Amino acid sequence: MQAIADAVGVSVMTVSRYFSGKANLKASTAEAIRLEAERRQYRPNRLVRAMKSGRSGLIGVILPSQLGYYGEVLAGIQETLAERGNFTLLELVHGNLGPAAIEEESRIIRRLVEMRIEGIILRPVNDLADSLYFSEVRSRDIPLVVIDRRLKSFEADFVGTDDEAGGRQAARQLIAAGARRLLLISAGAEVSTSADRAAGFIAEVRAHRGVTHEELSCPDFAPNEARIDAFLASNPRRFDGIFAVGDILALGCLRALRARQVRIPDEVSLLGFGALGLGGGHHIPVSSFDQHPAMVGRLAAQCILERARESEQASPVLRLVPATYTPRGTVRA
Amino acid sequence: MQAIADAVGVSVMTVSRYFSGKANLKASTAEAIRLEAERRQYRPNRLVRAMKSGRSGLIGVILPSQLGYYGEVLAGIQETLAERGNFTLLELVHGNLGPAAIEEESRIIRRLVEMRIEGIILRPVNDLADSLYFSEVRSRDIPLVVIDRRLKSFEADFVGTDDEAGGRQAARQLIAAGARRLLLISAGAEVSTSADRAAGFIAEVRAHRGVTHEELSCPDFAPNEARIDAFLASNPRRFDGIFAVGDILALGCLRALRARQVRIPDEVSLLGFGALGLGGGHHIPVSSFDQHPAMVGRLAAQCILERARESEQASPVLRLVPATYTPRGTVRA
DNA sequence: TTGTAAGCGTTATCAT
DNA sequence: ATGATAACGCTTACAA
């Protein structure tokens, strides 16, 4: 800057004003600066600007390291952040649960704070996030937007699929298909995605006379084929409608049913719930609910930027994106 | 820092030394500083450190916005960067080809330069990268590692799958399966991944007497089913071995062959090349070559950090990761 | 419309 | 083992 100022014959301040944009410069001065800066390929130093202004433009994004579905969420986030002149500082958490992952999240948040990020978008490892590391975030008033999995113990903005409504719709679809003896395959109560879908499903079932349901609880979202198979062993046709809270579970169930020669959808209707965003419309062959990850990402980014600008402490925002029912032939018409 | 220094009764410099690590502090002083810093939840400001030292620790990573396969590359990059105390500044390019994408890359690189990144890991939009924007990188001596697609016109470190060796192996597999009349389905010469696989394939075919090949050139890596179908229309069994340079192309070909009632692998052996990293081992049902995206990412990150540390201008590095042949039943035993 | 002076949070350098 | 001072590249506040 000094060099440009000298070359043009003005003070550094005038050059600074030129790059800040909003100043009143004489047209000729501005043009001279532009030319000289161009000649020197000068680029303003945003790190310094960040330091001076307290606004780094950096948003920390913390996701699980197997991106899968979150790859599309991430694309939505990055696109929106970049549009508005902000930056995506990406951190990935390896491992899904347990104290190690929480420890890792904690280290990550410290790194981000040291970089003076202006906000964090986080897919939490689990719901047990009353943990220490939020004190860091809270005490510094760093805006936090949580996606996909809700936190029980910390009030933060949330953006994600409307899992409860999805669960309700799932029940309605199966019942509309004529199913009356329903099976709910869930995936552990400590993950809100599973819990909310299950809750919505059960609530809807209860609202219908003559419809019953049982619940098979699986430890995670893996196929769990053996467990499902064991459960169906005695009487594979005990149910005429099955809802699995995740597509991968649904896949496990599909294989178990096929192995037992159950005809789908004639004897049993099977319904999954999409977490399988394979990018190019690749899906498992099970009727399911498509989520809208890019939309979730965009909303999360908008949300965090609003928080970062207005320092007003309005009450937490809850933005739910509906899932879309997508028939793929495993539910009776 | 000033506040901590005052509280402990030392100068800022002593506190600074404590956090820089390497200084000789009296144990009691160090402990006092530690305690006071803890109490105040002090976190050093890395933006300022970056400004002072010229080392921001930021690495710009530029990938296509449909991450897919690159999601795993990204995980490898991020893991390695974080291990060594660096940060991943992610930028995504929307759209695959054409001047718009190049324009976007150019804007992105300017943003990154303003953030004083210490290196760039880039999956280029195409091979026409003699374009303006590299002047920015070159004139500032910003280390650049290119992944997956090689650049013709710019000497940079390259990390990616050994596509040529893969193409050779593909030919060998088909020939070993007894195929003699081969079809090569390629995807445009301006993308090195396709060009290299094709070149390896052809070179290997030429080394075998009595083996012939034809080439069908497709515009991109999409299924291109109609085009392939049209090509096979006259005589679907004209070939007894087909190599598609991408799995999605192979999928298009598979559908075309099935529609024409060609028995696979009895009448025709079909071989793809993996670009379908769906994370959890989900793959299309075509014998193919698996790539190792996480490894590519890790190598790219190592490479960029080495460049960023040593400012020595050694000659460009070329790191090729072999693809692994993975039979899935579409090539005769 | 432009300039001067001071300072942001930290470290390099020299001194004690 | 610790301190004083200047400096990094830029902006804010005030002055002209």
Side-chain angles (χ1 to χ4, degrees):
Chain A
M1 252 187 177
Q2 185 64 60
I4 296 176
D6 292 352
V8 175
V10 294
S11 77
V12 235
M13 208 35 234
T14 305
V15 180
S16 170
R17 285 198 179 92
Y18 172 79
F19 285 104
S20 321
K22 55 206 166 196
N24 310 345
L25 298 193
K26 198 160 52 177
S28 64
T29 314
E31 181 58 12
I33 294 176
R34 200 189 62 73
L35 237 60
E36 185 62 19
E38 181 82 1
R39 211 175 61 68
R40 295 175 181 263
Q41 291 228 60
Y42 168 78
R43 301 278 174 256
N45 186 331
R46 290 223 199 192
L47 295 175
V48 175
R49 279 195 184 166
M51 164 188 143
K52 290 291 298 180
S53 64
R55 312 205 63 256
S56 66
L58 292 166
I59 301 293
V61 178
I62 309 179
L63 298 175
S65 63
Q66 308 96 300
L67 264 77
Y69 164 83
Y70 296 105
E72 293 175 55
V73 176
L74 179 56
I77 293 173
Q78 202 282 330
E79 185 184 11
T80 305
L81 290 181
E83 267 171 23
R84 311 199 181 181
N86 293 72
F87 293 86
T88 304
L89 204 48
L90 180 69
E91 300 280 350
L92 299 177
V93 180
H94 305 262
N96 241 321
L97 290 164
I102 292 184
E103 165 67 22
E104 206 183 344
E105 261 186 10
S106 167
R107 255 201 314 280
I108 286 171
I109 289 183
R110 183 158 328 156
R111 277 161 54 84
L112 292 178
V113 168
E114 294 187 353
M115 269 303 209
R116 299 298 187 263
I117 42 100
E118 292 189 68
I120 295 179
I121 297 175
L122 166 73
R123 200 302 303 254
V125 276
N126 62 25
D127 282 3
L128 308 170
D130 38 11
S131 22
L132 322 150
Y133 64 81
F134 277 118
S135 71
E136 187 90 31
V137 172
R138 172 155 273 170
S139 67
R140 287 167 205 276
D141 286 312
I142 298 174
L144 175 68
V145 172
V146 164
I147 56 177
D148 210 61
R149 294 183 177 181
R150 227 167 308 181
L151 294 176
K152 284 199 187 92
S153 42
F154 187 84
E155 282 218 332
D157 295 338
F158 175 84
V159 180
T161 299
D162 193 340
D163 289 308
E164 215 212 299
R168 285 181 179 278
Q169 268 196 78
R172 259 182 257 129
Q173 289 291 347
L174 290 175
I175 293 167
R180 291 298 173 266
R181 304 182 310 281
L182 304 184
L183 172 62
L184 166 65
I185 303 180
S186 61
E190 77 283 358
V191 174
S192 72
T193 40
S194 169
D196 290 356
R197 287 166 204 169
F201 183 83
I202 292 171
E204 187 68 24
V205 168
R206 294 231 167 98
H208 290 262
R209 311 199 118 270
V211 178
T212 64
H213 87 278
E214 287 183 49
E215 178 169 351
L216 168 62
S217 183
C218 291
D220 51 33
F221 283 93
N224 282 286
E225 187 174 343
R227 186 190 191 92
I228 296 169
D229 191 66
F231 186 82
L232 297 173
S234 59
N235 179 2
R237 291 167 186 79
R238 189 160 100 220
F239 306 98
D240 53 8
I242 302 181
F243 172 53
V245 297
D247 273 354
I248 305 288
L249 277 168
L251 189 62
C253 184
L254 179 71
R255 290 199 289 240
L257 290 169
R258 277 189 184 152
R260 295 189 169 279
Q261 318 264 346
V262 179
R263 280 175 298 126
I264 302 170
D266 308 300
E267 297 178 311
V268 177
S269 286
L270 176 62
L271 192 47
F273 202 102
L276 227 67
L278 306 183
H282 300 265
H283 284 281
I284 62 165
V286 173
S287 298
S288 178
F289 289 85
D290 285 344
Q291 300 180 90
H292 302 285
M295 177 63 69
V296 169
R298 274 185 242 116
L299 290 175
Q302 280 174 228
C303 195
I304 203 77
L305 291 182
E306 279 162 25
R307 284 277 178 205
R309 294 202 203 302
E310 326 156 9
S311 57
E312 299 168 35
Q313 301 267 23
S315 55
V317 172
L318 201 68
R319 286 186 150 295
L320 298 179
V321 181
T324 311
Y325 177 61
T326 309
R328 294 193 192 93
T330 59
V331 172
R332 273 206 285 176
Chain B
M1 254 186 176
Q2 185 65 61
I4 295 177
D6 292 352
V8 174
V10 293
S11 77
V12 240
M13 210 34 233
T14 305
V15 180
S16 170
R17 284 198 179 95
Y18 173 78
F19 285 104
S20 320
K22 55 206 165 195
N24 310 347
L25 297 195
K26 198 160 53 178
S28 64
T29 316
E31 181 58 11
I33 294 175
R34 201 189 60 75
L35 236 61
E36 185 62 20
E38 181 82 0
R39 212 175 59 69
R40 296 175 180 262
Q41 291 227 58
Y42 167 78
R43 299 278 174 258
N45 187 330
R46 290 222 199 193
L47 296 175
V48 175
R49 281 195 182 164
M51 165 188 141
K52 291 290 299 183
S53 64
R55 313 205 62 254
S56 67
L58 291 165
I59 301 295
V61 178
I62 309 178
L63 298 175
S65 63
Q66 308 97 298
L67 265 81
Y69 164 82
Y70 296 105
E72 294 175 56
V73 176
L74 179 55
I77 293 173
Q78 201 282 328
E79 184 184 9
T80 304
L81 290 181
E83 267 171 22
R84 314 198 180 181
N86 292 72
F87 293 86
T88 305
L89 204 50
L90 181 69
E91 300 280 350
L92 300 176
V93 180
H94 305 262
N96 242 320
L97 289 164
I102 291 183
E103 165 69 21
E104 207 184 345
E105 261 186 9
S106 165
R107 258 202 312 280
I108 285 171
I109 288 181
R110 185 158 328 155
R111 278 163 51 85
L112 292 179
V113 168
E114 294 187 353
M115 271 302 207
R116 299 299 187 262
I117 42 100
E118 293 188 67
I120 295 179
I121 298 175
L122 166 73
R123 202 299 305 251
V125 278
N126 63 25
D127 282 4
L128 308 168
D130 40 10
S131 22
L132 322 151
Y133 65 79
F134 277 118
S135 70
E136 187 88 33
V137 171
R138 171 156 274 172
S139 67
R140 288 169 205 275
D141 286 312
I142 297 174
L144 176 67
V145 172
V146 164
I147 56 178
D148 209 62
R149 293 183 178 182
R150 226 166 310 181
L151 295 175
K152 284 199 187 90
S153 41
F154 187 84
E155 282 217 335
D157 295 337
F158 175 84
V159 179
T161 299
D162 192 340
D163 289 309
E164 215 212 301
R168 283 180 181 279
Q169 269 195 75
R172 260 182 258 130
Q173 289 291 348
L174 290 175
I175 293 167
R180 292 295 174 268
R181 304 181 310 281
L182 304 184
L183 171 61
L184 166 65
I185 304 180
S186 61
E190 78 282 359
V191 173
S192 71
T193 42
S194 170
D196 291 355
R197 287 168 205 169
F201 183 84
I202 292 170
E204 186 67 26
V205 168
R206 294 231 168 97
H208 290 261
R209 310 200 119 271
V211 179
T212 65
H213 87 279
E214 288 184 49
E215 177 169 353
L216 169 61
S217 183
C218 292
D220 51 33
F221 283 93
N224 283 285
E225 187 175 342
R227 187 190 191 91
I228 295 170
D229 190 67
F231 186 81
L232 297 173
S234 58
N235 178 2
R237 291 169 186 78
R238 191 160 99 221
F239 307 99
D240 52 9
I242 303 182
F243 172 53
V245 297
D247 273 353
I248 305 287
L249 276 168
L251 189 63
C253 185
L254 180 71
R255 291 200 289 243
L257 289 170
R258 277 188 185 152
R260 297 192 170 276
Q261 319 263 345
V262 179
R263 280 175 299 128
I264 301 170
D266 308 299
E267 296 178 314
V268 176
S269 285
L270 177 61
L271 192 47
F273 202 102
L276 227 66
L278 306 183
H282 300 266
H283 283 281
I284 63 166
V286 174
S287 297
S288 179
F289 289 85
D290 285 344
Q291 299 180 90
H292 303 284
M295 176 63 69
V296 170
R298 272 183 244 119
L299 289 175
Q302 280 173 228
C303 193
I304 202 77
L305 291 182
E306 278 162 25
R307 284 277 179 207
R309 295 203 202 303
E310 327 154 8
S311 59
E312 299 168 33
Q313 302 266 23
S315 55
V317 171
L318 202 68
R319 285 184 151 295
L320 299 180
V321 181
T324 310
Y325 176 60
T326 308
R328 294 194 191 90
T330 59
V331 172
R332 270 205 288 179

